[in-house]
Amino acid sequence: GAGDLRRPHPAYQGRHPGDRSHRLRLPAVAHAGRHAGQVLGGEPRSRRIGARALHLHSWWLRMMREVIATAFDDAGLRLSDAQVAAFVGYAALLGKWNARMNLTSVRDPEETVHAHFVDSCLALHHVDIADGAHIADIGSGAGFPGAPLAILRPEARFTLIESVSRKTSFLH
């Protein structure tokens, strides 16, 4: 009914509608670090489940590093280890947010690498971005092509502009 429309999404629990001072409260997945094996805001999981999740997380990171490095090599773009790590982190963050809100229609991490990361950077074969250049990405959406280009050309300054608030909260 009408009451359901006014109930905030669980991710916005406890927030004022205009408050963008902190990130969404999303259920956390097991990750490396001191919180491994725990669900943030919940009870700690057993060590066995946490170790399994940590192992799967490590496997996913290794797989994504390889997929990203290979995809960019195939496109004729060489990445440093730091750039590969930045793309892996971006893919993980995009996947986490995309599970809660529709940032992109692409859900598969490997397809994200090809359809978003590599495609965004193919412009570098045709356009030279000078050191210190100031570039605006208008209608950036989930950060494409501006964020991947910023990873490849850190010496340039990129401004991502987006009018849809749920996408700007991701970009922030």
Side-chain angles (χ1 to χ4, degrees), residues 43-89:
E43 297 299 316
R45 292 182 172 181
S46 72
R47 288 182 186 264
R48 183 172 172 208
I49 292 173
R52 180 172 170 233
L54 182 59
H55 171 72
L56 290 175
H57 179 73
S58 298
W59 171 84
W60 186 87
L61 290 174
R62 284 193 308 273
M63 186 267 307
M64 285 304 293
R65 279 188 205 106
E66 184 177 314
V67 167
I68 289 168
T70 302
F72 276 90
D73 279 348
D74 291 348
L77 299 165
R78 302 286 181 236
L79 300 179
S80 69
D81 290 339
Q83 289 170 326
V84 171
F87 277 114
V88 169

Side-chain angles (χ1 to χ4, degrees), residues 116-165:
H116 293 306
F117 296 166
V118 175
D119 282 356
S120 294
C121 297
L122 287 177
L124 294 175
H125 288 306
H126 306 285
V127 177
D128 185 32
I129 298 176
D131 290 354
H134 294 268
I135 299 169
D137 177 6
I138 300 172
S140 188
F144 303 111
L149 289 172
I151 291 171
L152 285 185
R153 296 292 184 263
E155 64 280 351
R157 183 179 177 135
F158 290 83
T159 303
L160 307 180
I161 302 168
E162 176 57 53
S163 64
V164 178
S165 64

